[in-house]
Amino acid sequence: MLDATLPRKASPPVQLRDAARPRRRAVAMEDLATGLRRWRLPAALARLDIRNRYRGSVLGPFWLTLSTAVMVVGLGFLYSSLFKLTLADYLPFIAVSLIVWTLISQTVTDACTSLTSAEGIIRQLPLPFTVHALRCVFRNALITAHSLPLVFLVFLATGTLPGPEVVLLIPGLALIAVNAFFVALFLGMLCARFRDIAPIVSSVMQLAFFMSPVIWKPELLGERAVWLPLNPFYALMETVRGPLVEGGVPGIVWLAAVLYTLLIGTAALAFFVRFRGRIAFWV
Amino acid sequence: MPHILAEALTIEFPLYHMGARSLKKRILAKSPIRLRQDDSNRVVVSALRDLSFRIDRGERVALVGRNGAGKTTLLRTLAGVYEPVKGRLEIEGQIGSLIDPSAGMDMESTGRENIVLRGLFRGLSEAESEAMADSVGVFSGLGEFLDVPVRTYSAGMQVRLSFAMATMMEPEVLLMDEWFLAGDADFMAKARERLARLVTGADILVLATHDMAVVREWCTRAIRLESGRIVADGPVEEVLEAA
């Protein structure tokens, strides 16, 4: 019997939607819980996104690795001589910097379309919106994973190896993942409602690239470097870059990064609780 | 006990991206019936207005009415896609919807991959989805095409795959749009049988259609919608004759 493989599921038997008593918080929390529990769906969708983007190309997603490699080598030679640093000193820094920055900036830009790109699904299938935000996170994580071999290559070539503080990489990446999720939810909603946000975001990210210590080392700021934790991009980037190439991260940076995460998390959740029911009308 | 209860159910689509104010005024002046301004001065389309009905276990309800009357919007609202702007909607029972067969289909993936993906969309585990793939493959009659990208399928093959995927369920409340009438004659005979089993297995059927023969064959009750309102609700013959 075919249907024997598909037992009736014990999903909530009564669904109640009352415009007078919307129970917004409960509905939003249920959305998050269901979406996270069903992480396999966004993971599968993210894999498809990558595969479809590079369908028929010989190198496929490794084009990303290649273009990052070219950037790293090019910028490495140029800026190490501009900043009067040795290549062995600068190359690991710029490699990690560029990869982490690309992760952050791509995620933020991609977050703007996390919901609008899923319009077809949102209007047809009642799925948790969390699924679409997670899809965006997984997609960018996968893209970045393709550049990771570069870091090892650069470490091998320059003979620098991170110390035991490298374990702090894990909480650093976790922080970025949590941020990515909230940003995907928040910007996804905001950009679905206000279509002018996406271009604003992309120009802000471009400015942020030059204003944040991606190419230049934070030390170059001299005394003014103490103000750097005010830049949320710096704080988040540093939690990953620090353990890899700078022998650890000052406590204040961790504090700032956690604080920014809490901020964006609160904003995203508040917005999600309030406007979740409107998303289907916005996309 | 499975049932659907709607009280003063209202759905309004805001028109957000509507440029100039003068254009807004002109549109409002032209169609005062379904477009209006809401409290925060936005133009909204009233898709469903003040619907109240109760559907109990065992009822087979047809939604009839002209294009744009709100049939599909009502189906989607019942499926949980749209939140009511006003009113209340209570549904007891597990919902299965056959509204858009191709929603969530990935054209670059093979038929088999799509079946697994569909299983994930429905919240099944990967193993359950894999198990589904074989039976869907047999039913759709796609044979070796099951392992070829869906992009290369003919329209009929796509319908067969969608139909086979969509009907692999046993919902208590079945929501259905009329797309299932497409497909070649040979497959339709098979499809009818499967649909009949699905419909008789479900406790409640809500079907949006233009085909009165389908309504007479399958439904016990009809609701006629006209520009977002219920204008008739009752036994099939009564509602169909009144029009």
Side-chain angles (χ1 to χ4, degrees), chain A residues 100 104 165-176 179 232-244 246 248-251 253-258 261:
Chain A
V100 178
I104 292 177
E165 72 276 2
V166 76
V167 291
L168 285 175
L169 188 64
I170 296 164
L173 285 174
L175 262 186
I176 290 205
N179 270 286
F233 297 112
Y234 165 77
L236 279 168
M237 193 163 58
E238 201 59 24
T239 55
V240 174
R241 186 174 61 189
L244 275 174
E246 286 165 324
V249 186
V253 171
W254 279 103
L255 187 69
V258 170
T261 311

PDB file of all heavy atoms in Angstrom, chain A residues 100 104 165-176 179 232-244 246 248-251 253-258 261:
ATOM      1  N   VAL A 100      36.605  36.269   4.810  1.00  0.00           N
ATOM      2  CA  VAL A 100      35.599  36.599   5.825  1.00  0.00           C
ATOM      3  C   VAL A 100      34.750  37.784   5.381  1.00  0.00           C
ATOM      4  O   VAL A 100      33.530  37.784   5.532  1.00  0.00           O
ATOM      5  CB  VAL A 100      36.265  36.887   7.188  1.00  0.00           C
ATOM      6  CG1 VAL A 100      35.222  37.267   8.211  1.00  0.00           C
ATOM      7  CG2 VAL A 100      37.040  35.682   7.654  1.00  0.00           C
ATOM      8  N   ILE A 104      30.674  37.989   4.795  1.00  0.00           N
ATOM      9  CA  ILE A 104      29.770  38.945   5.439  1.00  0.00           C
ATOM     10  C   ILE A 104      29.015  39.750   4.393  1.00  0.00           C
ATOM     11  O   ILE A 104      27.787  39.854   4.428  1.00  0.00           O
ATOM     12  CB  ILE A 104      30.561  39.887   6.373  1.00  0.00           C
ATOM     13  CG1 ILE A 104      31.107  39.093   7.562  1.00  0.00           C
ATOM     14  CG2 ILE A 104      29.690  41.033   6.854  1.00  0.00           C
ATOM     15  CD1 ILE A 104      31.951  39.905   8.511  1.00  0.00           C
ATOM     16  N   GLU A 165      45.037  29.333  20.020  1.00  0.00           N
ATOM     17  CA  GLU A 165      43.833  30.185  20.091  1.00  0.00           C
ATOM     18  C   GLU A 165      42.897  29.951  18.907  1.00  0.00           C
ATOM     19  O   GLU A 165      41.808  30.503  18.859  1.00  0.00           O
ATOM     20  CB  GLU A 165      44.232  31.660  20.181  1.00  0.00           C
ATOM     21  CG  GLU A 165      44.791  32.277  18.897  1.00  0.00           C
ATOM     22  CD  GLU A 165      46.287  32.006  18.734  1.00  0.00           C
ATOM     23  OE1 GLU A 165      46.874  31.322  19.598  1.00  0.00           O
ATOM     24  OE2 GLU A 165      46.875  32.472  17.738  1.00  0.00           O
ATOM     25  N   VAL A 166      43.345  29.091  17.974  1.00  0.00           N
ATOM     26  CA  VAL A 166      42.541  28.851  16.773  1.00  0.00           C
ATOM     27  C   VAL A 166      41.189  28.218  17.102  1.00  0.00           C
ATOM     28  O   VAL A 166      40.233  28.317  16.334  1.00  0.00           O
ATOM     29  CB  VAL A 166      43.330  27.974  15.762  1.00  0.00           C
ATOM     30  CG1 VAL A 166      43.358  26.531  16.192  1.00  0.00           C
ATOM     31  CG2 VAL A 166      42.751  28.117  14.370  1.00  0.00           C
ATOM     32  N   VAL A 167      41.065  27.603  18.291  1.00  0.00           N
ATOM     33  CA  VAL A 167      39.772  26.998  18.653  1.00  0.00           C
ATOM     34  C   VAL A 167      38.692  28.072  18.786  1.00  0.00           C
ATOM     35  O   VAL A 167      37.502  27.785  18.653  1.00  0.00           O
ATOM     36  CB  VAL A 167      39.840  26.183  19.956  1.00  0.00           C
ATOM     37  CG1 VAL A 167      40.659  24.928  19.765  1.00  0.00           C
ATOM     38  CG2 VAL A 167      40.363  27.019  21.093  1.00  0.00           C
ATOM     39  N   LEU A 168      39.130  29.323  19.043  1.00  0.00           N
ATOM     40  CA  LEU A 168      38.154  30.410  19.172  1.00  0.00           C
ATOM     41  C   LEU A 168      37.464  30.704  17.845  1.00  0.00           C
ATOM     42  O   LEU A 168      36.492  31.442  17.787  1.00  0.00           O
ATOM     43  CB  LEU A 168      38.847  31.669  19.681  1.00  0.00           C
ATOM     44  CG  LEU A 168      39.201  31.628  21.164  1.00  0.00           C
ATOM     45  CD1 LEU A 168      39.984  32.863  21.551  1.00  0.00           C
ATOM     46  CD2 LEU A 168      37.938  31.526  21.999  1.00  0.00           C
ATOM     47  N   LEU A 169      38.002  30.101  16.785  1.00  0.00           N
ATOM     48  CA  LEU A 169      37.386  30.220  15.466  1.00  0.00           C
ATOM     49  C   LEU A 169      35.947  29.719  15.506  1.00  0.00           C
ATOM     50  O   LEU A 169      35.058  30.264  14.846  1.00  0.00           O
ATOM     51  CB  LEU A 169      38.201  29.371  14.482  1.00  0.00           C
ATOM     52  CG  LEU A 169      37.883  29.470  13.009  1.00  0.00           C
ATOM     53  CD1 LEU A 169      38.181  30.876  12.548  1.00  0.00           C
ATOM     54  CD2 LEU A 169      38.730  28.478  12.240  1.00  0.00           C
ATOM     55  N   ILE A 170      35.730  28.666  16.305  1.00  0.00           N
ATOM     56  CA  ILE A 170      34.402  28.047  16.319  1.00  0.00           C
ATOM     57  C   ILE A 170      33.325  28.990  16.866  1.00  0.00           C
ATOM     58  O   ILE A 170      32.332  29.235  16.179  1.00  0.00           O
ATOM     59  CB  ILE A 170      34.460  26.702  17.075  1.00  0.00           C
ATOM     60  CG1 ILE A 170      35.381  25.752  16.293  1.00  0.00           C
ATOM     61  CG2 ILE A 170      33.072  26.084  17.221  1.00  0.00           C
ATOM     62  CD1 ILE A 170      35.847  24.561  17.088  1.00  0.00           C
ATOM     63  N   PRO A 171      33.525  29.571  18.055  1.00  0.00           N
ATOM     64  CA  PRO A 171      32.510  30.542  18.486  1.00  0.00           C
ATOM     65  C   PRO A 171      32.410  31.730  17.538  1.00  0.00           C
ATOM     66  O   PRO A 171      31.322  32.286  17.349  1.00  0.00           O
ATOM     67  CB  PRO A 171      32.972  30.973  19.873  1.00  0.00           C
ATOM     68  CG  PRO A 171      34.362  30.494  20.025  1.00  0.00           C
ATOM     69  CD  PRO A 171      34.520  29.316  19.115  1.00  0.00           C
ATOM     70  N   GLY A 172      33.534  32.111  16.913  1.00  0.00           N
ATOM     71  CA  GLY A 172      33.502  33.226  15.973  1.00  0.00           C
ATOM     72  C   GLY A 172      32.595  32.928  14.794  1.00  0.00           C
ATOM     73  O   GLY A 172      31.728  33.728  14.437  1.00  0.00           O
ATOM     74  N   LEU A 173      32.773  31.751  14.213  1.00  0.00           N
ATOM     75  CA  LEU A 173      31.932  31.366  13.076  1.00  0.00           C
ATOM     76  C   LEU A 173      30.471  31.219  13.516  1.00  0.00           C
ATOM     77  O   LEU A 173      29.554  31.585  12.779  1.00  0.00           O
ATOM     78  CB  LEU A 173      32.434  30.053  12.470  1.00  0.00           C
ATOM     79  CG  LEU A 173      33.710  30.191  11.628  1.00  0.00           C
ATOM     80  CD1 LEU A 173      34.216  28.826  11.203  1.00  0.00           C
ATOM     81  CD2 LEU A 173      33.441  31.052  10.400  1.00  0.00           C
ATOM     82  N   ALA A 174      30.278  30.706  14.739  1.00  0.00           N
ATOM     83  CA  ALA A 174      28.912  30.548  15.235  1.00  0.00           C
ATOM     84  C   ALA A 174      28.229  31.906  15.344  1.00  0.00           C
ATOM     85  O   ALA A 174      27.068  32.068  14.961  1.00  0.00           O
ATOM     86  CB  ALA A 174      28.910  29.840  16.583  1.00  0.00           C
ATOM     87  N   LEU A 175      28.973  32.904  15.837  1.00  0.00           N
ATOM     88  CA  LEU A 175      28.414  34.255  15.948  1.00  0.00           C
ATOM     89  C   LEU A 175      28.009  34.769  14.574  1.00  0.00           C
ATOM     90  O   LEU A 175      26.935  35.344  14.406  1.00  0.00           O
ATOM     91  CB  LEU A 175      29.454  35.200  16.539  1.00  0.00           C
ATOM     92  CG  LEU A 175      29.379  35.491  18.037  1.00  0.00           C
ATOM     93  CD1 LEU A 175      30.386  36.562  18.392  1.00  0.00           C
ATOM     94  CD2 LEU A 175      27.980  35.945  18.418  1.00  0.00           C
ATOM     95  N   ILE A 176      28.886  34.570  13.596  1.00  0.00           N
ATOM     96  CA  ILE A 176      28.569  35.039  12.246  1.00  0.00           C
ATOM     97  C   ILE A 176      27.328  34.324  11.717  1.00  0.00           C
ATOM     98  O   ILE A 176      26.447  34.940  11.110  1.00  0.00           O
ATOM     99  CB  ILE A 176      29.770  34.815  11.296  1.00  0.00           C
ATOM    100  CG1 ILE A 176      30.878  35.792  11.688  1.00  0.00           C
ATOM    101  CG2 ILE A 176      29.369  35.006   9.846  1.00  0.00           C
ATOM    102  CD1 ILE A 176      31.833  36.142  10.597  1.00  0.00           C
ATOM    103  N   ASN A 179      24.249  35.785  13.357  1.00  0.00           N
ATOM    104  CA  ASN A 179      23.994  37.094  12.757  1.00  0.00           C
ATOM    105  C   ASN A 179      23.409  36.969  11.367  1.00  0.00           C
ATOM    106  O   ASN A 179      22.480  37.684  11.007  1.00  0.00           O
ATOM    107  CB  ASN A 179      25.294  37.894  12.681  1.00  0.00           C
ATOM    108  CG  ASN A 179      25.507  38.704  13.924  1.00  0.00           C
ATOM    109  OD1 ASN A 179      24.853  39.707  14.122  1.00  0.00           O
ATOM    110  ND2 ASN A 179      26.381  38.231  14.776  1.00  0.00           N
ATOM    111  N   PRO A 232      30.464  47.431  13.606  1.00  0.00           N
ATOM    112  CA  PRO A 232      29.982  46.053  13.780  1.00  0.00           C
ATOM    113  C   PRO A 232      30.627  45.071  12.799  1.00  0.00           C
ATOM    114  O   PRO A 232      30.850  43.911  13.139  1.00  0.00           O
ATOM    115  CB  PRO A 232      28.478  46.144  13.532  1.00  0.00           C
ATOM    116  CG  PRO A 232      28.223  47.477  12.953  1.00  0.00           C
ATOM    117  CD  PRO A 232      29.363  48.359  13.308  1.00  0.00           C
ATOM    118  N   PHE A 233      30.955  45.547  11.602  1.00  0.00           N
ATOM    119  CA  PHE A 233      31.584  44.650  10.630  1.00  0.00           C
ATOM    120  C   PHE A 233      32.965  44.238  11.117  1.00  0.00           C
ATOM    121  O   PHE A 233      33.370  43.096  10.992  1.00  0.00           O
ATOM    122  CB  PHE A 233      31.697  45.333   9.262  1.00  0.00           C
ATOM    123  CG  PHE A 233      30.363  45.654   8.664  1.00  0.00           C
ATOM    124  CD1 PHE A 233      29.960  46.970   8.521  1.00  0.00           C
ATOM    125  CD2 PHE A 233      29.510  44.650   8.262  1.00  0.00           C
ATOM    126  CE1 PHE A 233      28.727  47.273   7.986  1.00  0.00           C
ATOM    127  CE2 PHE A 233      28.271  44.943   7.722  1.00  0.00           C
ATOM    128  CZ  PHE A 233      27.882  46.264   7.588  1.00  0.00           C
ATOM    129  N   TYR A 234      33.685  45.214  11.711  1.00  0.00           N
ATOM    130  CA  TYR A 234      35.010  44.902  12.245  1.00  0.00           C
ATOM    131  C   TYR A 234      34.883  43.862  13.357  1.00  0.00           C
ATOM    132  O   TYR A 234      35.597  42.851  13.363  1.00  0.00           O
ATOM    133  CB  TYR A 234      35.680  46.164  12.782  1.00  0.00           C
ATOM    134  CG  TYR A 234      36.876  45.860  13.651  1.00  0.00           C
ATOM    135  CD1 TYR A 234      38.086  45.489  13.082  1.00  0.00           C
ATOM    136  CD2 TYR A 234      36.785  45.920  15.036  1.00  0.00           C
ATOM    137  CE1 TYR A 234      39.176  45.179  13.868  1.00  0.00           C
ATOM    138  CE2 TYR A 234      37.863  45.610  15.840  1.00  0.00           C
ATOM    139  CZ  TYR A 234      39.060  45.243  15.250  1.00  0.00           C
ATOM    140  OH  TYR A 234      40.126  44.921  16.036  1.00  0.00           O
ATOM    141  N   ALA A 235      33.978  44.114  14.290  1.00  0.00           N
ATOM    142  CA  ALA A 235      33.864  43.228  15.448  1.00  0.00           C
ATOM    143  C   ALA A 235      33.597  41.799  15.009  1.00  0.00           C
ATOM    144  O   ALA A 235      34.237  40.855  15.475  1.00  0.00           O
ATOM    145  CB  ALA A 235      32.747  43.728  16.367  1.00  0.00           C
ATOM    146  N   LEU A 236      32.644  41.632  14.071  1.00  0.00           N
ATOM    147  CA  LEU A 236      32.293  40.279  13.649  1.00  0.00           C
ATOM    148  C   LEU A 236      33.406  39.623  12.839  1.00  0.00           C
ATOM    149  O   LEU A 236      33.698  38.447  13.008  1.00  0.00           O
ATOM    150  CB  LEU A 236      31.000  40.315  12.833  1.00  0.00           C
ATOM    151  CG  LEU A 236      29.771  40.373  13.726  1.00  0.00           C
ATOM    152  CD1 LEU A 236      28.540  40.707  12.928  1.00  0.00           C
ATOM    153  CD2 LEU A 236      29.597  39.041  14.450  1.00  0.00           C
ATOM    154  N   MET A 237      34.042  40.426  11.989  1.00  0.00           N
ATOM    155  CA  MET A 237      35.103  39.882  11.164  1.00  0.00           C
ATOM    156  C   MET A 237      36.270  39.441  12.045  1.00  0.00           C
ATOM    157  O   MET A 237      36.867  38.387  11.837  1.00  0.00           O
ATOM    158  CB  MET A 237      35.557  40.969  10.185  1.00  0.00           C
ATOM    159  CG  MET A 237      36.416  40.466   9.074  1.00  0.00           C
ATOM    160  SD  MET A 237      36.480  41.672   7.736  1.00  0.00           S
ATOM    161  CE  MET A 237      37.115  43.086   8.583  1.00  0.00           C
ATOM    162  N   GLU A 238      36.561  40.265  13.050  1.00  0.00           N
ATOM    163  CA  GLU A 238      37.716  40.016  13.907  1.00  0.00           C
ATOM    164  C   GLU A 238      37.559  38.726  14.719  1.00  0.00           C
ATOM    165  O   GLU A 238      38.549  38.057  15.005  1.00  0.00           O
ATOM    166  CB  GLU A 238      37.911  41.220  14.836  1.00  0.00           C
ATOM    167  CG  GLU A 238      39.295  41.356  15.403  1.00  0.00           C
ATOM    168  CD  GLU A 238      40.377  41.496  14.340  1.00  0.00           C
ATOM    169  OE1 GLU A 238      40.051  41.929  13.220  1.00  0.00           O
ATOM    170  OE2 GLU A 238      41.527  41.150  14.635  1.00  0.00           O
ATOM    171  N   THR A 239      36.316  38.356  15.088  1.00  0.00           N
ATOM    172  CA  THR A 239      36.136  37.136  15.888  1.00  0.00           C
ATOM    173  C   THR A 239      36.563  35.898  15.099  1.00  0.00           C
ATOM    174  O   THR A 239      36.853  34.863  15.690  1.00  0.00           O
ATOM    175  CB  THR A 239      34.672  36.953  16.327  1.00  0.00           C
ATOM    176  OG1 THR A 239      33.834  36.991  15.175  1.00  0.00           O
ATOM    177  CG2 THR A 239      34.247  38.015  17.304  1.00  0.00           C
ATOM    178  N   VAL A 240      36.595  36.003  13.771  1.00  0.00           N
ATOM    179  CA  VAL A 240      37.063  34.877  12.960  1.00  0.00           C
ATOM    180  C   VAL A 240      38.513  35.077  12.532  1.00  0.00           C
ATOM    181  O   VAL A 240      39.326  34.162  12.577  1.00  0.00           O
ATOM    182  CB  VAL A 240      36.172  34.703  11.703  1.00  0.00           C
ATOM    183  CG1 VAL A 240      36.738  33.637  10.793  1.00  0.00           C
ATOM    184  CG2 VAL A 240      34.765  34.335  12.124  1.00  0.00           C
ATOM    185  N   ARG A 241      38.827  36.320  12.161  1.00  0.00           N
ATOM    186  CA  ARG A 241      40.166  36.578  11.642  1.00  0.00           C
ATOM    187  C   ARG A 241      41.209  36.526  12.756  1.00  0.00           C
ATOM    188  O   ARG A 241      42.295  35.986  12.571  1.00  0.00           O
ATOM    189  CB  ARG A 241      40.204  37.945  10.959  1.00  0.00           C
ATOM    190  CG  ARG A 241      41.510  38.231  10.276  1.00  0.00           C
ATOM    191  CD  ARG A 241      41.461  39.515   9.507  1.00  0.00           C
ATOM    192  NE  ARG A 241      41.186  40.655  10.379  1.00  0.00           N
ATOM    193  CZ  ARG A 241      40.914  41.879   9.926  1.00  0.00           C
ATOM    194  NH1 ARG A 241      40.854  42.105   8.634  1.00  0.00           N
ATOM    195  NH2 ARG A 241      40.682  42.867  10.760  1.00  0.00           N
ATOM    196  N   GLY A 242      40.871  37.074  13.893  1.00  0.00           N
ATOM    197  CA  GLY A 242      41.801  37.131  15.025  1.00  0.00           C
ATOM    198  C   GLY A 242      42.413  35.782  15.365  1.00  0.00           C
ATOM    199  O   GLY A 242      43.639  35.630  15.371  1.00  0.00           O
ATOM    200  N   PRO A 243      41.567  34.780  15.659  1.00  0.00           N
ATOM    201  CA  PRO A 243      42.116  33.476  16.026  1.00  0.00           C
ATOM    202  C   PRO A 243      42.990  32.873  14.932  1.00  0.00           C
ATOM    203  O   PRO A 243      43.889  32.088  15.224  1.00  0.00           O
ATOM    204  CB  PRO A 243      40.868  32.616  16.242  1.00  0.00           C
ATOM    205  CG  PRO A 243      39.775  33.568  16.501  1.00  0.00           C
ATOM    206  CD  PRO A 243      40.110  34.816  15.767  1.00  0.00           C
ATOM    207  N   LEU A 244      42.755  33.241  13.676  1.00  0.00           N
ATOM    208  CA  LEU A 244      43.510  32.614  12.590  1.00  0.00           C
ATOM    209  C   LEU A 244      44.850  33.275  12.332  1.00  0.00           C
ATOM    210  O   LEU A 244      45.853  32.602  12.137  1.00  0.00           O
ATOM    211  CB  LEU A 244      42.678  32.634  11.301  1.00  0.00           C
ATOM    212  CG  LEU A 244      41.696  31.485  11.112  1.00  0.00           C
ATOM    213  CD1 LEU A 244      40.841  31.721   9.885  1.00  0.00           C
ATOM    214  CD2 LEU A 244      42.435  30.168  10.984  1.00  0.00           C
ATOM    215  N   GLU A 246      45.920  36.660  13.849  1.00  0.00           N
ATOM    216  CA  GLU A 246      46.445  37.734  14.685  1.00  0.00           C
ATOM    217  C   GLU A 246      46.696  37.305  16.126  1.00  0.00           C
ATOM    218  O   GLU A 246      46.805  38.139  17.010  1.00  0.00           O
ATOM    219  CB  GLU A 246      45.491  38.929  14.642  1.00  0.00           C
ATOM    220  CG  GLU A 246      45.586  39.649  13.313  1.00  0.00           C
ATOM    221  CD  GLU A 246      44.419  40.595  13.094  1.00  0.00           C
ATOM    222  OE1 GLU A 246      43.306  40.251  13.511  1.00  0.00           O
ATOM    223  OE2 GLU A 246      44.642  41.667  12.520  1.00  0.00           O
ATOM    224  N   GLY A 248      44.755  35.835  18.326  1.00  0.00           N
ATOM    225  CA  GLY A 248      43.718  36.047  19.336  1.00  0.00           C
ATOM    226  C   GLY A 248      43.010  37.380  19.167  1.00  0.00           C
ATOM    227  O   GLY A 248      43.399  38.215  18.353  1.00  0.00           O
ATOM    228  N   VAL A 249      41.962  37.561  19.941  1.00  0.00           N
ATOM    229  CA  VAL A 249      41.092  38.719  19.806  1.00  0.00           C
ATOM    230  C   VAL A 249      40.961  39.366  21.178  1.00  0.00           C
ATOM    231  O   VAL A 249      40.745  38.671  22.162  1.00  0.00           O
ATOM    232  CB  VAL A 249      39.691  38.276  19.330  1.00  0.00           C
ATOM    233  CG1 VAL A 249      38.826  39.479  19.052  1.00  0.00           C
ATOM    234  CG2 VAL A 249      39.800  37.390  18.117  1.00  0.00           C
ATOM    235  N   PRO A 250      41.071  40.692  21.257  1.00  0.00           N
ATOM    236  CA  PRO A 250      40.844  41.341  22.541  1.00  0.00           C
ATOM    237  C   PRO A 250      39.402  41.135  23.029  1.00  0.00           C
ATOM    238  O   PRO A 250      38.474  41.029  22.218  1.00  0.00           O
ATOM    239  CB  PRO A 250      41.106  42.825  22.253  1.00  0.00           C
ATOM    240  CG  PRO A 250      41.300  42.956  20.794  1.00  0.00           C
ATOM    241  CD  PRO A 250      41.482  41.612  20.204  1.00  0.00           C
ATOM    242  N   GLY A 251      39.249  41.089  24.345  1.00  0.00           N
ATOM    243  CA  GLY A 251      37.938  40.835  24.941  1.00  0.00           C
ATOM    244  C   GLY A 251      36.888  41.829  24.494  1.00  0.00           C
ATOM    245  O   GLY A 251      35.729  41.464  24.261  1.00  0.00           O
ATOM    246  N   VAL A 253      36.447  43.191  21.725  1.00  0.00           N
ATOM    247  CA  VAL A 253      35.891  42.856  20.404  1.00  0.00           C
ATOM    248  C   VAL A 253      34.817  41.782  20.553  1.00  0.00           C
ATOM    249  O   VAL A 253      33.740  41.867  19.948  1.00  0.00           O
ATOM    250  CB  VAL A 253      37.007  42.389  19.456  1.00  0.00           C
ATOM    251  CG1 VAL A 253      36.426  41.841  18.167  1.00  0.00           C
ATOM    252  CG2 VAL A 253      37.945  43.540  19.161  1.00  0.00           C
ATOM    253  N   TRP A 254      35.112  40.779  21.401  1.00  0.00           N
ATOM    254  CA  TRP A 254      34.115  39.742  21.637  1.00  0.00           C
ATOM    255  C   TRP A 254      32.852  40.351  22.219  1.00  0.00           C
ATOM    256  O   TRP A 254      31.736  40.044  21.795  1.00  0.00           O
ATOM    257  CB  TRP A 254      34.654  38.682  22.600  1.00  0.00           C
ATOM    258  CG  TRP A 254      35.518  37.687  21.903  1.00  0.00           C
ATOM    259  CD1 TRP A 254      36.877  37.639  21.924  1.00  0.00           C
ATOM    260  CD2 TRP A 254      35.082  36.616  21.067  1.00  0.00           C
ATOM    261  NE1 TRP A 254      37.327  36.597  21.151  1.00  0.00           N
ATOM    262  CE2 TRP A 254      36.243  35.949  20.613  1.00  0.00           C
ATOM    263  CE3 TRP A 254      33.837  36.158  20.653  1.00  0.00           C
ATOM    264  CZ2 TRP A 254      36.190  34.846  19.777  1.00  0.00           C
ATOM    265  CZ3 TRP A 254      33.774  35.058  19.826  1.00  0.00           C
ATOM    266  CH2 TRP A 254      34.945  34.425  19.386  1.00  0.00           C
ATOM    267  N   LEU A 255      33.060  41.225  23.185  1.00  0.00           N
ATOM    268  CA  LEU A 255      31.927  41.870  23.850  1.00  0.00           C
ATOM    269  C   LEU A 255      31.076  42.624  22.815  1.00  0.00           C
ATOM    270  O   LEU A 255      29.853  42.488  22.762  1.00  0.00           O
ATOM    271  CB  LEU A 255      32.448  42.823  24.921  1.00  0.00           C
ATOM    272  CG  LEU A 255      31.366  43.442  25.810  1.00  0.00           C
ATOM    273  CD1 LEU A 255      30.764  42.372  26.702  1.00  0.00           C
ATOM    274  CD2 LEU A 255      31.932  44.584  26.636  1.00  0.00           C
ATOM    275  N   ALA A 256      31.776  43.402  21.968  1.00  0.00           N
ATOM    276  CA  ALA A 256      31.069  44.178  20.951  1.00  0.00           C
ATOM    277  C   ALA A 256      30.313  43.250  20.009  1.00  0.00           C
ATOM    278  O   ALA A 256      29.139  43.479  19.709  1.00  0.00           O
ATOM    279  CB  ALA A 256      32.056  45.037  20.171  1.00  0.00           C
ATOM    280  N   ALA A 257      30.980  42.168  19.579  1.00  0.00           N
ATOM    281  CA  ALA A 257      30.339  41.255  18.624  1.00  0.00           C
ATOM    282  C   ALA A 257      29.088  40.630  19.232  1.00  0.00           C
ATOM    283  O   ALA A 257      28.046  40.539  18.575  1.00  0.00           O
ATOM    284  CB  ALA A 257      31.318  40.170  18.199  1.00  0.00           C
ATOM    285  N   VAL A 258      29.182  40.211  20.496  1.00  0.00           N
ATOM    286  CA  VAL A 258      28.011  39.613  21.145  1.00  0.00           C
ATOM    287  C   VAL A 258      26.896  40.644  21.269  1.00  0.00           C
ATOM    288  O   VAL A 258      25.718  40.361  21.033  1.00  0.00           O
ATOM    289  CB  VAL A 258      28.402  39.042  22.527  1.00  0.00           C
ATOM    290  CG1 VAL A 258      27.164  38.644  23.305  1.00  0.00           C
ATOM    291  CG2 VAL A 258      29.321  37.847  22.358  1.00  0.00           C
ATOM    292  N   THR A 261      25.203  41.189  18.035  1.00  0.00           N
ATOM    293  CA  THR A 261      24.347  40.037  17.735  1.00  0.00           C
ATOM    294  C   THR A 261      23.028  40.144  18.488  1.00  0.00           C
ATOM    295  O   THR A 261      21.951  39.912  17.933  1.00  0.00           O
ATOM    296  CB  THR A 261      25.065  38.728  18.120  1.00  0.00           C
ATOM    297  OG1 THR A 261      26.371  38.759  17.565  1.00  0.00           O
ATOM    298  CG2 THR A 261      24.320  37.529  17.608  1.00  0.00           C
TER     299      THR A 261
END
